[in-house]
């Protein structure tokens, strides 16, 4: 792949080249870059469209799914004519119509622990456009081992978040969600999602990618961006790395809270435990017990939730955690109906109740 710009490319990217922070040298850096987009769905489509339009020289797309009717409202790279085609094949065809100069490499399968190193090692930056926790842990581990920048994004309903991991010894995905276990996947199938949400987050990922390529992000990242579409609120959430994280449950500067946290930590560590936090998703993101997983009340009745808890019941104490007494009681009743052994912990942290 040649890194020099042709006269046609200079004309095509004239508006970008005119920007002081890009120029000819910046456009050459964009063309030289090799980007891997993992997932060609709601997040991946806007990422791919804008990166190809920006002049990226080589883009890899990895996805094992086919285009379905329900994809079309938010996966804007596809049309009705693409139904039943593999997403990577349809994406390549449609992206070539936007920019024939971009080399597009398709990987028509899922990323897993067996192929992660081979696939990711070829690219400079990895963009996570997936919808499940397991794949994100695979991406995180591979990027850590290969020293690759990891551009993260996630969306649900009218909310989303994005971040940059493994940048100049910055935070990792596992610093955001540390507990490794199989979570319920593809939440948009059950919760619903708006196309504008995935579009917004996908564009933010494309912006972060170009900033890294152009050297406009020069500081180590220790936060993720949280987006709320209805009120158009954007805020940064600081993420502490494991080496700097205080070993209590919720960050609190008062001595009283520290003592309670130590009592709580001692109590739960007496046996191997799986803590289930009943908060809504955004509340959980804002503040949660370090070891907890998030299963909102609305998801507790789902068959996949029951299956998950029964699996971990065999090796763990299932602990229900929530500030609301009512929610704790309702959750306990639901689990008793499913004959799932569990304990309840109150918000004051002192006692475990059978």
């Amino acid at each position: 792949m040649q890194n020099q710009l042709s006269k046609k490319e200079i004309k095509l990217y004239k508006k970008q080249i005119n920007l002081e922070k890009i120029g000819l040298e910046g456009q050459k850096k964009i063309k030289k870059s090799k980007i891997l987009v993992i997932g060609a769905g709601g997040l991946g489509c806007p990422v791919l469209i804008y990166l190809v339009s920006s002049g990226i020289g080589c883009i890899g797309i990895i996805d094992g799914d086919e285009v379905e009717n329900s994809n079309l409202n938010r996966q804007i790279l596809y049309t009705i004519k693409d139904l039943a085609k593999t997403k990577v094949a349809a994406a390549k065809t449609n992206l070539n119509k936007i920019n024939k100069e971009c080399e597009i490499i398709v990987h028509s399968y899922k990323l897993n622990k067996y192929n992660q190193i081979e696939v990711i090692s070829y690219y400079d930056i990895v963009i996570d456009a997936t919808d499940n926790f397991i794949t994100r842990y695979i991406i995180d581990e591979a990027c850590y081992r290969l020293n690759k920048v990891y551009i993260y994004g996630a969306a649900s309903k009218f909310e989303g978040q994005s971040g940059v991991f493994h940048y100049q010894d910055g935070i990792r995905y596992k610093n955001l969600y540390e507990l490794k276990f199989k979570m319920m996947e593809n939440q948009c199938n059950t919760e619903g999602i708006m196309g504008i949400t995935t579009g917004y987050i996908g564009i933010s990922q494309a912006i972060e990618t170009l900033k890294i390529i152009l050297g406009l992000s020069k500081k180590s990242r220790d936060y993720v961006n949280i987006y709320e579409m209805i009120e158009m609120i954007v805020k940064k959430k600081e993420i502490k790395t494991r080496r700097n994280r205080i070993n209590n449950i919720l960050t609190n500067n008062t001595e009283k809270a520290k003592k309670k946290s130590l009592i709580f930590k001692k109590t739960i560590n007496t046996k191997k435990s799986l803590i289930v936090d009943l908060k809504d998703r955004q509340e959980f993101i804002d503040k949660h017990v370090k070891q907890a997983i998030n299963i909102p009340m609305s998801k507790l009745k789902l068959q996949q939730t029951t299956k998950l808890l029964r699996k971990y019941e065999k090796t763990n104490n299932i602990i229900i955690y929530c500030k609301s007494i009512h929610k704790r009681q309702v959750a306990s009743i639901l689990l008793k109906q499913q004959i799932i052994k569990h304990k309840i912990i109150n918000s004051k942290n002192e006692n475990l109740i059978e």
Side-chain angles (χ1 to χ4, degrees):
M1 180 177 61
Q2 295 182 351
N3 297 325
Q4 295 300 316
L5 299 173
S6 65
K7 291 182 179 179
K8 182 181 178 181
E9 288 173 311
I10 292 173
K11 185 177 180 180
L12 179 61
Y13 304 119
K14 181 181 178 182
K15 297 296 184 181
Q16 287 181 190
I17 293 170
N18 286 344
L19 291 170
E20 184 180 347
K21 293 184 177 181
I22 297 183
L24 277 172
E25 291 306 311
Q27 193 62 47
K28 288 178 184 178
K29 289 180 182 179
I30 293 172
K31 183 177 180 179
K32 185 180 178 182
S33 298
K34 294 183 289 187
I35 310 299
L36 177 64
V37 180
I38 303 176
L43 295 175
C45 286
V47 167
L48 289 165
I49 289 170
Y50 279 99
L51 290 185
V52 167
S53 300
S54 298
I56 297 292
C58 175
I59 288 183
I61 312 170
I62 181 166
D63 197 301
D65 293 337
E66 295 181 349
V67 180
E68 299 176 1
N69 228 312
S70 61
N71 300 150
L72 300 181
N73 81 307
R74 66 191 183 283
Q75 299 180 20
I76 55 176
L77 189 52
Y78 313 119
T79 68
I80 294 174
K81 294 180 181 179
D82 296 315
L83 292 176
K85 295 180 182 177
T86 62
K87 287 185 178 179
V88 291
K92 180 173 183 176
T93 298
N94 295 334
L95 290 169
N96 281 335
K97 295 176 183 177
I98 298 173
N99 183 358
K100 292 182 180 180
E101 301 298 321
C102 179
E103 179 187 3
I104 298 173
I105 302 171
V106 298
H107 307 272
S108 187
Y109 47 78
K110 301 286 187 182
L111 186 76
N112 57 48
K113 63 182 180 180
Y114 303 108
N115 61 29
Q116 57 177 341
I117 300 299
E118 181 183 357
V119 175
I120 290 176
S121 61
Y122 180 74
Y123 299 92
D124 304 318
I125 296 174
V126 177
I127 300 177
D128 170 14
T130 64
D131 58 10
N132 69 83
F133 286 85
I134 301 303
T135 305
R136 288 170 185 153
Y137 276 115
I138 291 171
I139 297 169
D140 180 69
E141 184 60 33
C143 288
Y144 177 73
R145 289 170 62 183
L146 295 169
N147 195 29
K148 303 286 185 179
V149 178
Y150 170 3
I151 309 294
Y152 161 71
S156 177
K157 299 180 181 178
F158 289 94
E159 301 168 354
Q161 53 184 294
S162 66
V164 178
F165 300 140
H166 300 291
Y167 182 64
Q168 296 182 351
D169 199 32
I171 58 172
R172 293 178 58 179
Y173 177 76
K174 74 173 188 177
N175 298 132
L176 182 62
Y177 296 109
E178 291 204 12
L179 191 60
K180 293 187 179 182
F181 57 87
K182 190 169 183 178
M183 292 288 291
M184 292 174 289
E185 300 182 5
N186 201 10
Q187 291 185 341
C188 65
N189 284 341
T190 55
E191 292 185 345
I193 193 164
M194 284 289 289
I196 54 172
T197 306
T198 53
Y200 195 97
I201 303 302
I203 289 172
S204 74
Q205 289 179 279
I207 291 170
E208 293 295 346
T209 303
L210 290 168
K211 285 163 63 179
I212 297 294
I213 293 169
L214 295 167
L216 301 180
S217 293
K218 297 182 179 180
K219 294 182 180 179
S220 178
R221 303 296 189 90
D222 59 356
Y223 63 88
V224 293
N225 292 312
I226 309 294
Y227 307 90
E228 204 287 312
M229 301 298 138
I230 301 297
E231 302 296 332
M232 290 306 294
I233 296 172
V234 181
K235 61 182 179 180
K236 291 183 179 179
K237 178 174 176 58
E238 183 181 358
I239 307 298
K240 295 182 180 179
T241 58
R242 179 174 294 184
R243 62 181 176 272
N244 295 325
R245 188 170 297 194
I246 301 170
N247 290 322
N248 59 3
I249 296 153
L250 299 175
T251 303
N252 196 310
N253 293 325
T254 66
E255 289 300 319
K256 184 177 180 181
K258 287 181 182 179
K259 288 179 181 178
K260 287 184 177 182
S261 295
L262 289 172
I263 293 169
F264 181 41
K265 184 181 176 185
K266 185 177 179 181
T267 304
I268 21 186
N269 285 340
T270 56
K271 289 186 179 180
K272 192 176 180 182
S273 303
L274 182 69
I275 307 170
V276 178
D277 192 324
L278 302 175
K279 290 189 187 80
D280 291 335
R281 185 170 177 273
Q282 189 58 53
E283 291 177 316
F284 181 80
I285 291 171
D286 290 339
K287 184 180 285 187
H288 61 269
V289 175
K290 180 181 174 182
Q291 301 98 327
I293 69 170
N294 182 217
I295 302 181
M297 282 294 296
S298 60
K299 302 295 179 288
L300 208 58
K301 296 181 181 180
L302 296 178
Q303 186 177 359
Q304 53 192 340
T305 304
T306 302
K307 186 177 179 181
L308 175 73
L309 293 179
R310 279 184 178 152
K311 175 183 175 181
Y312 283 94
E313 180 193 15
K314 297 175 183 178
T315 55
N316 296 263
N317 284 328
I318 305 295
I319 297 176
I320 302 299
Y321 174 76
C322 187
K323 289 183 179 181
S324 167
I325 296 173
H326 176 70
K327 278 189 177 182
R328 295 200 303 263
Q329 291 174 340
V330 172
S332 182
I333 291 169
L334 290 172
L335 294 184
K336 284 178 181 177
Q337 289 174 348
Q338 297 298 330
I339 319 177
I340 296 174
K341 294 180 181 179
H342 62 281
K343 297 181 179 181
I344 301 174
I345 191 163
N346 63 31
S347 60
K348 294 183 179 179
N349 305 341
E350 287 94 353
N351 301 307
L352 285 175
I353 306 170
E354 296 288 351

